[in-house]
């Protein structure tokens, strides 16, 4: 009797309150449960949840959308801050957008040089804080380093290593920056850089996901396995959605660059 009562123990409140349970109520273990008595309920519930997901995927072709985990952040705030995880993932996406906008343009403009980071003996500084950047002609930009002449060499090196396919020339306290012609080769080079930037961003995204899942697993001895399972699934779902958005950004940028 004691074993039977233990098998029929209620599911964690999170599962009851999550949208995964939806309006169907908490799934019950089938009469034909083949698992041992102690683990029957847990295994059957997880199997039924997985079965619902698979069934939903199969129904997708019939016009139904795939079911998603949608745990209320307030219900699990003692375990992990899901809103903070979402913000960290969004920050990675925004950084990729900024990189595309600033560094990967067919036509190089003075504004593209503004935030190139220059390493000096006094620390790191944006190029526009060290020199005055101007466009002399469509094919030439000038960086005037009169205010910080000692940083001229470092500034030229930063421009050369910026990944913008620029080859600066130092002329006293002036840095001449020829603007590359818009050739097919140049366009393809920029498209490759866009792909590389996206891969780096996805790596940063994976770090956010791993950090969040590690945080959740710290509570594996304090909350149910079902709770841990649902949280890990939601975090993975959030990461997948962010990666999909990055792929869309890359596709749009590649189309823009290659014409």
């Amino acid at each position: 009797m004691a074993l039977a009562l233990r098998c029929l123990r209620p599911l964690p409140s999170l599962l009851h309150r999550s949208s995964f349970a939806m309006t169907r109520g908490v799934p019950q273990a089938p009469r034909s449960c083949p698992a041992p008595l102690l683990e029957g309920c847990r295994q059957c519930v997880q199997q039924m949840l997985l079965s619902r997901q698979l069934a939903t995927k199969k129904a997708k072709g019939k016009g139904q959308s795939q079911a998603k985990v949608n745990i209320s952040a307030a219900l699990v705030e003692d375990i992990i801050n899901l809103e903070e995880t979402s913000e960290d993932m969004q920050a990675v996406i925004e950084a990729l957008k900024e990189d595309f906008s600033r560094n990967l343009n067919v036509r190089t403009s003075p504004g593209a040089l503004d935030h190139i980071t220059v390493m000096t003996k006094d620390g790191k500084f944006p190029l526009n804080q060290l020199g005055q950047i101007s466009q002399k002609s469509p094919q030439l930009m000038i960086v005037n380093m009169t205010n910080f002449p000692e940083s001229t060499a470092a500034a030229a090196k930063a421009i050369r290593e910026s990944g913008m396919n620029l080859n600066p020339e130092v002329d006293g306290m002036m840095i001449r920056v020829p603007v590359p012609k818009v050739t097919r080769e140049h366009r393809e080079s920029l498209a490759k850089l866009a792909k590389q930037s996206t891969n780096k961003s996805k790596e940063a995204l994976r770090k956010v996901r791993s950090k969040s899942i590690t945080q959740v697993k710290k509570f594996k001895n304090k909350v149910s396995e079902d709770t841990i399972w649902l949280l890990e699934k939601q975090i993975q779902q959030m990461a997948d959605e962010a990666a999909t958005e990055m792929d869309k950004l890359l596709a749009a940028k590649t189309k823009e660059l290659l014409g």
Side-chain angles (χ1 to χ4, degrees), residues 36-55:
L37 190 58
L38 287 175
E39 295 299 324
C41 285
R42 182 180 298 280
Q43 292 184 18
C44 285
V45 166
Q46 291 190 358
Q47 183 60 42
M48 291 183 73
L49 288 172
L50 288 171
S51 296
R52 285 184 181 179
Q53 285 182 283
L54 292 174

Side-chain angles (χ1 to χ4, degrees), residues 11 54 58 64-65 81 84 96 104 109 113 121 163 174 216 219 243 246:
L11 289 172
L54 292 174
K58 291 179 181 179
Q64 297 182 21
S65 59
N81 189 330
E84 183 176 304
L96 180 62
L104 297 174
S109 64
L113 305 184
K121 63 180 181 179
M174 299 292 179
V216 168
F219 289 81
M246 289 181 184

Side-chain angles (χ1 to χ4, degrees), residues 60-79:
K60 191 174 182 180
K62 300 179 181 180
Q64 297 182 21
S65 59
Q66 183 176 345
K68 294 183 178 180
V69 179
N70 187 21
I71 302 171
S72 171
L75 294 178
V76 293
E77 58 184 3
D78 292 336
I79 301 174

Side-chain angles (χ1 to χ4, degrees), residues 44-183:
C44 285
V45 166
Q46 291 190 358
Q47 183 60 42
M48 291 183 73
L49 288 172
L50 288 171
S51 296
R52 285 184 181 179
Q53 285 182 283
L54 292 174
T56 307
K57 288 181 180 179
K58 291 179 181 179
K60 191 174 182 180
K62 300 179 181 180
Q64 297 182 21
S65 59
Q66 183 176 345
K68 294 183 178 180
V69 179
N70 187 21
I71 302 171
S72 171
L75 294 178
V76 293
E77 58 184 3
D78 292 336
I79 301 174
I80 187 173
N81 189 330
L82 286 177
E83 292 181 353
E84 183 176 304
T85 297
S86 178
E87 290 172 359
D88 288 345
M89 290 184 178
Q90 189 60 40
V92 175
I93 295 173
E94 293 302 320
L96 180 62
K97 289 181 181 179
E98 181 70 14
D99 183 40
F100 280 0
S101 175
R102 179 181 298 165
N103 300 325
L104 297 174
N105 294 300
V106 175
R107 301 264 180 202
T108 304
S109 64
L113 305 184
D114 284 350
H115 300 286
I116 289 178
T117 301
V118 181
M119 176 64 76
T120 72
K121 63 180 181 179
D122 296 317
K124 296 180 180 180
F125 297 92
L127 180 60
N128 64 352
Q129 290 186 12
L130 301 174
Q132 297 177 336
I133 306 169
S134 60
Q135 186 136 14
K136 200 73 173 177
S137 71
Q139 288 75 42
L140 180 65
M141 287 186 290
I142 299 292
V143 183
N144 186 335
M145 298 295 296
T146 302
N147 293 332
F148 296 92
E150 69 279 6
S151 298
T152 301
K157 180 181 178 181
I159 295 171
R160 187 175 297 108
E161 297 177 353
S162 66
M164 297 172 64
N165 193 34
L166 299 174
N167 189 25
E169 303 167 357
V170 177
D171 182 11
M173 290 180 287
M174 299 292 179
I175 302 175
R176 298 164 58 85
V177 186
V179 178
K181 293 182 179 179
V182 184
T183 63

Side-chain angles (χ1 to χ4, degrees), residues 14 17 27 32-33 42 55 86 90 111-112 144-145 148 158 197 210 228 234 238:
L14 174 61
R17 299 176 67 179
S32 58
C33 173
R42 182 180 298 280
S86 178
Q90 189 60 40
N144 186 335
M145 298 295 296
F148 296 92
S197 294
S210 297
I228 298 297
Q234 173 135 343
M238 292 162 64

Side-chain angles (χ1 to χ4, degrees), residues 218-235:
K218 290 180 181 179
F219 289 81
K220 64 181 181 180
N221 295 325
K222 298 180 182 180
V223 298
S224 72
E225 291 179 9
D226 298 310
T227 301
I228 298 297
W229 182 75
L230 284 169
L231 279 171
E232 288 181 355
K233 183 167 180 59
Q234 173 135 343
I235 291 168

